[in-house]
Amino acid sequence: DPALALLVRRSPGRRVPGSVDAAELAVRAVLGQQVSVSGARALAGRLVDLCGESLSEPLAGDGLTRLFPEPGAIAETGAARLPMPQARREALRALARAVATGEAVLDPGVDREEARERLMTLKGIGPWTASYIAMRGLGDPDAFLPADLGVRRGLARLGLADDPASAAAISERWRPWRSYAVQHLWAGPGDGGARDTNRERW
């Protein structure tokens, strides 16, 4: 595609960063709604301290003493004790409960579109979060985030229309590899790494 050709030439072989645990990534995506990356990281650390299982022996050199909490533990105790807005706390609890009970399945091999649609039935989980989880947690090569600020800025730098409707229309010519287009748009000219624009756009 002529619009992306220069970005691709500057960074050939760019990949979509994945996750070995889609449930953990989904929790982190909700924690990152409407806060900075450092704020989301602090919340995740607090959650681990609150209800993560202790390791019998800390991992040497890493300082790791706890595992990331299981969804059931987050739903039962973790979400209620985090310093965050009530709406986001309820979204986190709903997500954790759905994963724990099997209402939302985020396992390898799951139908990605079905998982995405199921996630969006949960209160507080919108298209951005569901698509972000599909992209990074479920390995969907064709997830796209038309309302994402980083995507829109990337389009604007290329001289393309950057409103969400236009972004979605433009992205149709990048199917079925739109997740990779997102990485190039996030990174932008001269940027060696994709920006983390982990925000929900309501």
Side-chain angles (χ1 to χ4, degrees):
D1 187 290
L4 289 180
L6 180 60
L7 296 183
V8 175
R9 282 198 299 270
R10 284 176 172 171
S11 185
R14 185 177 292 282
R15 296 290 183 263
V16 179
S19 173
V20 297
D21 188 335
E24 176 180 337
L25 182 125
V27 168
R28 289 179 178 274
V30 173
L31 292 177
Q33 291 176 359
Q34 306 297 330
V35 298
S36 67
V37 175
S38 60
R41 188 180 298 118
L43 283 172
R46 179 75 177 272
L47 182 64
V48 170
D49 289 339
L50 286 171
C51 57
E53 180 183 348
S54 296
L55 295 172
S56 56
E57 293 183 15
L59 292 185
D62 291 332
L64 184 65
T65 60
R66 292 178 178 271
L67 299 175
F68 197 84
E70 293 294 324
I74 297 172
E76 291 172 11
T77 59
R81 299 169 65 186
L82 286 177
M84 56 172 33
Q86 183 65 25
R88 190 145 37 95
R89 187 180 293 118
E90 290 302 319
L92 180 60
R93 181 180 288 119
L95 170 68
R97 187 183 301 119
V99 173
T101 62
E103 294 176 43
V105 179
L106 300 178
D107 296 338
V110 70
D111 183 293
R112 294 163 179 150
E113 188 56 32
E114 184 177 310
R116 183 178 177 278
E117 294 297 327
R118 179 66 189 95
L119 285 169
M120 286 195 296
T121 67
L122 303 174
K123 187 176 181 180
I125 306 293
W128 190 99
T129 300
S131 294
Y132 184 79
I133 293 168
M135 177 192 296
R136 294 202 51 210
L138 302 178
D140 187 349
D142 196 40
F144 194 71
L145 316 172
D148 180 82
L149 182 58
V151 167
R152 295 176 63 190
R153 285 176 174 167
L155 290 169
R157 284 194 299 267
L158 297 176
L160 300 173
D162 64 348
D163 61 281
S166 296
I170 291 167
S171 77
E172 288 298 312
R173 66 197 200 208
W174 300 329
R175 285 187 182 273
W177 309 109
R178 295 184 301 167
S179 293
Y180 295 88
V182 169
Q183 304 307 311
H184 284 286
L185 292 170
W186 275 347
D191 189 343
R195 295 182 180 86
D196 187 342
T197 54
N198 190 9
R199 310 284 192 280
E200 181 68 65
R201 305 297 179 205
W202 297 85

